[in-house]
Amino acid sequence: MDSRTAAHALSRIAALLELRGVGRFRTRAYESAAKAVLALDVDDIAPLHRSGALAALKGVGPATLSVLDDLVRHGESDYLQRLAEDTPEGLLEMMRVPGLGTQKIHAIHAALGVESLRELEESARDGRLATIKGFGAETAEEILKGVAFLK
């Protein structure tokens, strides 16, 4: 397992947790671990894992080390797989909309129950999106442009 792939898995976990509205502390832990692992810039993190060097990295804690252990041993993370399976596919699809980050997607999902690109587009067009705190007509217009770009 190379450090770039491992960092990507940790970043993906952070994004999925953020989509769920999990506390910022947990998402930052995965983001920090991803940065630390990426900085290693090695083709195989297994020797570093066996020697304990991964566990000693600043930013890598027990939870993130468990994910790294899975990646080294099995080439994939059970935790990442479970998170992805439990996240509505439409929310993952919304992550592809330019300018629409995980925090905004979570806010839209929590406030309006939107779970697909079609529902996102409808809520932007009918004005519901602009009623969410921190959103407005300009944000709705930008999201419409982003959805159109994907199509």
Side-chain angles (χ1 to χ4, degrees):
M1 174 67 52
D2 67 277
S3 59
R4 292 166 303 286
T5 303
H8 177 73
L10 292 167
S11 293
R12 183 91 168 142
I13 289 171
L16 291 171
L17 289 172
E18 200 164 48
L19 278 176
R20 294 166 165 249
V22 171
R24 188 72 186 131
F25 178 78
R26 277 185 65 197
T27 58
R28 271 198 194 131
Y30 283 94
E31 290 167 352
S32 295
K35 288 177 185 174
V37 170
L38 185 61
L40 294 171
D41 196 26
V42 295
D43 291 331
D44 189 6
I45 62 170
L48 297 171
H49 179 56
R50 284 191 296 275
S51 73
L54 281 181
L57 278 177
K58 184 178 180 183
V60 174
T64 55
L65 186 60
S66 174
V67 170
L68 292 169
D69 183 60
D70 260 2
L71 293 171
V72 167
R73 291 175 188 256
H74 309 292
E76 60 187 15
S77 164
D78 288 338
Y79 186 51
L80 174 57
Q81 189 173 6
R82 281 193 315 264
L83 282 173
E85 287 172 359
D86 293 343
T87 303
E89 186 64 36
L91 296 183
L92 298 175
E93 196 175 17
M94 282 188 248
M95 289 176 63
R96 296 177 38 230
V97 176
L100 190 58
T102 53
Q103 288 181 338
K104 284 185 180 179
I105 294 169
H106 172 69
I108 293 166
H109 179 66
L112 304 176
V114 169
E115 289 191 352
S116 70
L117 277 178
R118 182 187 54 76
E119 291 174 354
L120 177 65
E121 186 175 25
E122 288 173 5
S123 68
R125 288 193 192 286
D126 67 20
R128 288 180 293 140
L129 194 64
T131 65
I132 300 172
K133 183 180 179 183
F135 288 70
E138 287 181 28
T139 302
E141 190 60 38
E142 289 301 313
I143 289 173
L144 283 173
K145 288 178 185 175
V147 170
F149 176 78
L150 281 180
K151 288 181 178 182

